[in-house]
Amino acid sequence: MTSAKDFEICSLLRKRKMEGMELLFTSYYKPLVVWADTFLRDVACAEDLVQDFFLKLWETGRFERLLPETLRSYLFTAVRNAALNKLEKADPLANACDVALHDSPWEEYDSFTDDVFRRVEEEVGKLPARSQEIIRGVYLRGKKYKELAEELGISVATVNSLLVSALKRLRQTLGDDPVKLIQLFFLKKKSDLTQ
Amino acid sequence: MIERDEIDEQLLRYLLKESTPEERRAVEEWVERDEKNAAYFKRFQRLHLWIEWGMRAEMVKTSFEELRRRLTRRRRMWTWTGVAAAAILLLSVGGWLSQEREPERRPVAQLPVIEPGRPRAVLHLSSGEKVVMDTLARELTEQDGTAIRVSEDGNVAYEAQAESRDTGRVMNRIEVPRGGEFSLELADGSQVWLNAESELRYPARFSGDKRAVYLKGEAYFSVATDSTRPFVVEVEGMSVRVYGTEFNVSTQQEGRVETVLVRGAVGMRHGEEEMRLEPNQLGVFVKADGSMRSQEVDVLPYVAWRTGDFVFKDETLESIMDKLARWYDLEVFFQNGDLRDVRLSGNLKRYKDVRELFRSFEKISEARFSVNGKTVVIGK
């Protein structure tokens, strides 16, 4: 599925317009940074990587030849490769086993947009305080179960079960189907409007 | 069959790398055992990634403005224009401002507001010492004994002392940043007003048979009469020679030197060739082919900046925005290329809110201005 935005980005860039870079940025910067972060486990580092990638795109004139049909997969693949290269340079053996995990085709990640981020943030915000603390600890701060258990003065088993039940709840509200997630989001928006 | 919660627990531990090697293997076996399991794992992984991405996205900080600064760094070229007068001459040169300012990292909370320029400059003394001048009065002495008086209203005056040492070799340089302006009185009594993003190099004291100064950017000169020593402004490989008492030089359009004469007489000189200008004439020197030509103009728009006004008369929006950008330190982007050539007229006090001018432009044209911090985007 090629979005109208991708067509617009490519047509602006073909005319060498800075607005094309801006639209590319607003549509893809955050998803790409988070994507690079999936490998690098360091958001600041991921930001540098994606910015350098954009800069190179602009300076080498490569942006003029981007095609809307393949834009999305090109961006995600290029950023993933750059991230893996960076990792390999830092430590040639580390993380080799994780790569296969994220090797899934791009179409899977069509829901990977700003709206989804907002929606996740919103739903996490509705969880009980303790569950939120654990989710943030694990996902935001990259803490191990054990570290969190010590920090919060609870057992590892409790961290484990709270996390699983939090995920279960998020699955109910977010779903695990990208199409449904987007629909939910727009339904919600509509109901916000009618209120 | 294992409980679903238990499966979730194992999968989550697997994804978060909390599993022991045995548990890892068990999960992998479970996934491979059955297509249904593989599909379940995929959906579970997706949920996990969404949460991870949603959480980590909060930490992404950069705005497009920061990237834009990096993108435009090598592409930005500032242009300058020039004008001269019979005792008033204005001259402009382009291209030198391509020097880069470091991209600043500004905290989001302190979005810059658009502020007009103000008296501001850096004085480089012959010793290499730098003096930042704003609105603080002070007095300095150069190596040759010349007194330099800096007043609180943004003026520097040079006062030659009777006994001279090392005459004419002491060069000073005054640099006015974007968003600044400054005036100075040279040792011979000539007045120079420097516009934003301009630079003047001059001797602390004049000697020899001519009074030569070196300009980048834009300046208005009021030259003290001295028939024995002509005053010369060297700019972008050509010179403007003053035969009167006062003149104003500025350089703003890339590859061009423009001189507008207000009073008196000046000559634009390139190599052996000289073109004399009459009052109310604009002389243009095109660097690329070395050609010079002159035409009658209304001088006011060219020199109004000195007295604190912007006067635009049937000027292209591109050129207008260029001047405003320099004074208000703006970044300007055109969404529609054809808007660059729209011709507009308008006046504005240089110390006023520039948005007033945008509003009046919106009334008389289809250009629409959207201002965000120091960035102005012009669309339809």
Side-chain angles (χ1 to χ4, degrees), chain B residues 226-243:
Chain B
D226 183 343
S227 52
T228 61
R229 292 187 301 167
F231 194 98
V232 179
V233 181
E234 300 283 353
V235 56
E236 284 275 296
M238 61 93 61
S239 56
V240 179
R241 209 163 262 264
V242 185
Y243 300 99

mmCIF file of all heavy atoms in Angstrom, chain B residues 226-243:
data_model
loop_
_atom_site.group_PDB
_atom_site.id
_atom_site.type_symbol
_atom_site.label_atom_id
_atom_site.label_comp_id
_atom_site.label_asym_id
_atom_site.label_seq_id
_atom_site.Cartn_x
_atom_site.Cartn_y
_atom_site.Cartn_z
ATOM 1 N N ASP B 226 38.301 65.969 1.528
ATOM 2 C CA ASP B 226 39.752 66.084 1.528
ATOM 3 C C ASP B 226 40.167 65.922 0.077
ATOM 4 O O ASP B 226 40.355 64.815 -0.421
ATOM 5 C CB ASP B 226 40.371 64.992 2.412
ATOM 6 C CG ASP B 226 41.884 65.135 2.488
ATOM 7 O OD1 ASP B 226 42.466 65.847 1.636
ATOM 8 O OD2 ASP B 226 42.475 64.523 3.392
ATOM 9 N N SER B 227 40.288 67.042 -0.662
ATOM 10 C CA SER B 227 40.503 66.972 -2.110
ATOM 11 C C SER B 227 41.856 66.348 -2.441
ATOM 12 O O SER B 227 42.067 65.842 -3.530
ATOM 13 C CB SER B 227 40.387 68.368 -2.721
ATOM 14 O OG SER B 227 41.241 69.254 -2.022
ATOM 15 N N THR B 228 42.780 66.342 -1.510
ATOM 16 C CA THR B 228 44.096 65.786 -1.817
ATOM 17 C C THR B 228 44.130 64.263 -1.676
ATOM 18 O O THR B 228 44.947 63.595 -2.282
ATOM 19 C CB THR B 228 45.183 66.370 -0.879
ATOM 20 O OG1 THR B 228 44.844 66.015 0.467
ATOM 21 C CG2 THR B 228 45.248 67.879 -1.008
ATOM 22 N N ARG B 229 43.220 63.739 -0.877
ATOM 23 C CA ARG B 229 43.226 62.284 -0.685
ATOM 24 C C ARG B 229 41.837 61.716 -0.946
ATOM 25 O O ARG B 229 40.948 61.819 -0.107
ATOM 26 C CB ARG B 229 43.640 61.946 0.751
ATOM 27 C CG ARG B 229 45.087 62.278 1.060
ATOM 28 C CD ARG B 229 45.463 61.766 2.426
ATOM 29 N NE ARG B 229 44.616 62.335 3.476
ATOM 30 C CZ ARG B 229 44.578 61.871 4.721
ATOM 31 N NH1 ARG B 229 45.306 60.841 5.071
ATOM 32 N NH2 ARG B 229 43.803 62.446 5.622
ATOM 33 N N PRO B 230 41.619 61.153 -2.121
ATOM 34 C CA PRO B 230 40.291 60.576 -2.387
ATOM 35 C C PRO B 230 39.979 59.430 -1.431
ATOM 36 O O PRO B 230 40.882 58.771 -0.932
ATOM 37 C CB PRO B 230 40.407 60.070 -3.826
ATOM 38 C CG PRO B 230 41.858 59.910 -4.083
ATOM 39 C CD PRO B 230 42.554 60.933 -3.236
ATOM 40 N N PHE B 231 38.702 59.254 -1.208
ATOM 41 C CA PHE B 231 38.239 58.172 -0.342
ATOM 42 C C PHE B 231 37.831 57.003 -1.249
ATOM 43 O O PHE B 231 37.072 57.182 -2.191
ATOM 44 C CB PHE B 231 37.044 58.655 0.483
ATOM 45 C CG PHE B 231 36.696 57.749 1.641
ATOM 46 C CD1 PHE B 231 37.148 58.054 2.924
ATOM 47 C CD2 PHE B 231 35.904 56.622 1.459
ATOM 48 C CE1 PHE B 231 36.826 57.238 4.001
ATOM 49 C CE2 PHE B 231 35.577 55.806 2.531
ATOM 50 C CZ PHE B 231 36.034 56.114 3.812
ATOM 51 N N VAL B 232 38.342 55.821 -0.967
ATOM 52 C CA VAL B 232 38.060 54.676 -1.832
ATOM 53 C C VAL B 232 37.500 53.524 -1.005
ATOM 54 O O VAL B 232 38.047 53.174 0.033
ATOM 55 C CB VAL B 232 39.340 54.201 -2.546
ATOM 56 C CG1 VAL B 232 39.047 53.001 -3.435
ATOM 57 C CG2 VAL B 232 39.949 55.334 -3.349
ATOM 58 N N VAL B 233 36.401 52.985 -1.492
ATOM 59 C CA VAL B 233 35.865 51.780 -0.857
ATOM 60 C C VAL B 233 36.198 50.601 -1.751
ATOM 61 O O VAL B 233 35.762 50.533 -2.895
ATOM 62 C CB VAL B 233 34.334 51.870 -0.676
ATOM 63 C CG1 VAL B 233 33.808 50.603 0.011
ATOM 64 C CG2 VAL B 233 33.965 53.097 0.132
ATOM 65 N N GLU B 234 37.005 49.706 -1.232
ATOM 66 C CA GLU B 234 37.367 48.509 -1.990
ATOM 67 C C GLU B 234 36.338 47.441 -1.654
ATOM 68 O O GLU B 234 36.117 47.129 -0.487
ATOM 69 C CB GLU B 234 38.756 48.000 -1.579
ATOM 70 C CG GLU B 234 39.872 48.998 -1.805
ATOM 71 C CD GLU B 234 40.292 49.094 -3.270
ATOM 72 O OE1 GLU B 234 39.795 48.277 -4.084
ATOM 73 O OE2 GLU B 234 41.094 49.983 -3.589
ATOM 74 N N VAL B 235 35.721 46.890 -2.708
ATOM 75 C CA VAL B 235 34.681 45.929 -2.452
ATOM 76 C C VAL B 235 34.594 44.920 -3.580
ATOM 77 O O VAL B 235 34.518 45.297 -4.749
ATOM 78 C CB VAL B 235 33.341 46.676 -2.208
ATOM 79 C CG1 VAL B 235 32.996 47.564 -3.363
ATOM 80 C CG2 VAL B 235 32.212 45.739 -1.889
ATOM 81 N N GLU B 236 34.686 43.646 -3.254
ATOM 82 C CA GLU B 236 34.501 42.561 -4.221
ATOM 83 C C GLU B 236 35.279 42.771 -5.502
ATOM 84 O O GLU B 236 34.728 42.679 -6.592
ATOM 85 C CB GLU B 236 33.021 42.433 -4.585
ATOM 86 C CG GLU B 236 32.177 41.781 -3.538
ATOM 87 C CD GLU B 236 32.194 40.259 -3.642
ATOM 88 O OE1 GLU B 236 31.719 39.748 -4.659
ATOM 89 O OE2 GLU B 236 32.685 39.608 -2.722
ATOM 90 N N GLY B 237 36.553 43.075 -5.404
ATOM 91 C CA GLY B 237 37.384 43.172 -6.599
ATOM 92 C C GLY B 237 37.186 44.431 -7.411
ATOM 93 O O GLY B 237 37.710 44.560 -8.503
ATOM 94 N N MET B 238 36.393 45.364 -6.912
ATOM 95 C CA MET B 238 36.293 46.644 -7.607
ATOM 96 C C MET B 238 36.328 47.730 -6.544
ATOM 97 O O MET B 238 36.345 47.452 -5.367
ATOM 98 C CB MET B 238 35.031 46.701 -8.474
ATOM 99 C CG MET B 238 33.719 46.562 -7.758
ATOM 100 S SD MET B 238 33.000 48.147 -7.295
ATOM 101 C CE MET B 238 32.794 48.875 -8.900
ATOM 102 N N SER B 239 36.393 48.983 -7.000
ATOM 103 C CA SER B 239 36.435 50.027 -5.991
ATOM 104 C C SER B 239 35.467 51.143 -6.310
ATOM 105 O O SER B 239 35.117 51.373 -7.460
ATOM 106 C CB SER B 239 37.857 50.579 -5.859
ATOM 107 O OG SER B 239 38.302 51.041 -7.124
ATOM 108 N N VAL B 240 35.001 51.789 -5.274
ATOM 109 C CA VAL B 240 34.152 52.956 -5.444
ATOM 110 C C VAL B 240 34.939 54.144 -4.911
ATOM 111 O O VAL B 240 35.405 54.151 -3.780
ATOM 112 C CB VAL B 240 32.835 52.800 -4.662
ATOM 113 C CG1 VAL B 240 31.980 54.045 -4.836
ATOM 114 C CG2 VAL B 240 32.077 51.562 -5.127
ATOM 115 N N ARG B 241 35.106 55.113 -5.783
ATOM 116 C CA ARG B 241 35.948 56.249 -5.471
ATOM 117 C C ARG B 241 35.048 57.449 -5.231
ATOM 118 O O ARG B 241 34.136 57.709 -6.006
ATOM 119 C CB ARG B 241 36.804 56.534 -6.698
ATOM 120 C CG ARG B 241 38.114 57.145 -6.457
ATOM 121 C CD ARG B 241 38.951 56.954 -7.697
ATOM 122 N NE ARG B 241 39.826 55.804 -7.511
ATOM 123 C CZ ARG B 241 41.099 55.951 -7.097
ATOM 124 N NH1 ARG B 241 41.612 57.149 -6.861
ATOM 125 N NH2 ARG B 241 41.853 54.898 -6.940
ATOM 126 N N VAL B 242 35.310 58.150 -4.155
ATOM 127 C CA VAL B 242 34.426 59.254 -3.808
ATOM 128 C C VAL B 242 35.078 60.575 -4.109
ATOM 129 O O VAL B 242 36.190 60.828 -3.676
ATOM 130 C CB VAL B 242 34.083 59.205 -2.314
ATOM 131 C CG1 VAL B 242 33.077 60.281 -1.975
ATOM 132 C CG2 VAL B 242 33.558 57.842 -1.960
ATOM 133 N N TYR B 243 34.356 61.403 -4.862
ATOM 134 C CA TYR B 243 34.901 62.711 -5.198
ATOM 135 C C TYR B 243 34.208 63.802 -4.423
ATOM 136 O O TYR B 243 34.538 64.955 -4.538
ATOM 137 C CB TYR B 243 34.791 62.956 -6.697
ATOM 138 C CG TYR B 243 35.554 61.922 -7.490
ATOM 139 C CD1 TYR B 243 34.925 60.837 -8.071
ATOM 140 C CD2 TYR B 243 36.944 62.038 -7.619
ATOM 141 C CE1 TYR B 243 35.634 59.890 -8.776
ATOM 142 C CE2 TYR B 243 37.662 61.081 -8.319
ATOM 143 C CZ TYR B 243 37.006 60.013 -8.900
ATOM 144 O OH TYR B 243 37.721 59.074 -9.592
#
